[in-house]
Amino acid sequence: QVQLVESGGGLVQAGGSLRLSCAASGRTFSMHDMGWFRQAPGKEREFVAAINWSGTRTLYADSEKGRFTISRDNAKNTGYLQMNSLKPEDTAVYYCAATRRPVPTAWYQYHYWGQGTQVSVSS
């Protein structure tokens, strides 16, 4: 079992940066791939980024590629999402998730989820 807790969200102006953290409690975290998703009011949960268990392979949604960076530190049981050049349309609740499947992009392919952290970007 893996339990996840996100942190690092907040309110920033357009063009600013935030770094989200995802702390995992399970000792098997290093055996799981990890993804970040976000959900804005009235919208479905959408894929943001994913990273494999070793950190050697990453995937990004087109809207985030070049602005966001996903990473992980298995020694600390923690995943990260560095967000730069934030835009108002990035405003959403951000969730981290873990799965034994190889870097999937669909939310229903993930087994474990955090509670989410709010990111708000003002214009």
Side-chain angles (χ1 to χ4, degrees):
Q1 293 294 114
V2 175
Q3 291 183 303
L4 307 172
V5 179
E6 303 95 334
S7 62
L11 174 63
V12 298
Q13 291 184 312
S17 299
L18 284 174
R19 189 188 194 193
L20 306 183
S21 296
C22 178
S25 62
R27 297 182 66 184
T28 60
F29 174 69
S30 62
M31 300 299 296
H32 288 73
D33 292 358
M34 185 188 73
W36 286 92
F37 292 78
R38 66 187 184 186
Q39 188 167 22
K43 295 185 177 181
E44 296 293 326
R45 188 168 300 187
E46 67 174 347
F47 170 76
V48 175
I51 187 169
N52 72 337
W53 67 271
S54 64
T56 59
R57 181 175 176 83
T58 58
L59 290 173
Y60 298 91
D62 289 341
S63 60
E64 291 83 38
K65 190 175 181 65
R67 299 189 298 124
F68 292 7
T69 302
I70 187 171
S71 62
R72 66 192 299 164
D73 187 339
N74 288 337
K76 297 181 178 180
N77 278 358
T78 303
Y80 304 95
L81 183 68
Q82 178 67 47
M83 305 184 294
N84 299 325
S85 301
L86 284 164
K87 305 174 181 179
E89 50 264 44
D90 295 319
T91 296
V93 176
Y94 283 70
Y95 300 88
C96 67
T99 180
R100 297 300 297 269
R101 300 189 65 164
V103 288
T105 60
W107 65 267
Y108 51 80
Q109 296 176 302
Y110 285 79
H111 306 131
Y112 308 103
W113 291 86
Q115 84 290 346
T117 185
Q118 177 70 48
V119 171
S120 299
V121 184
S122 61
S123 61

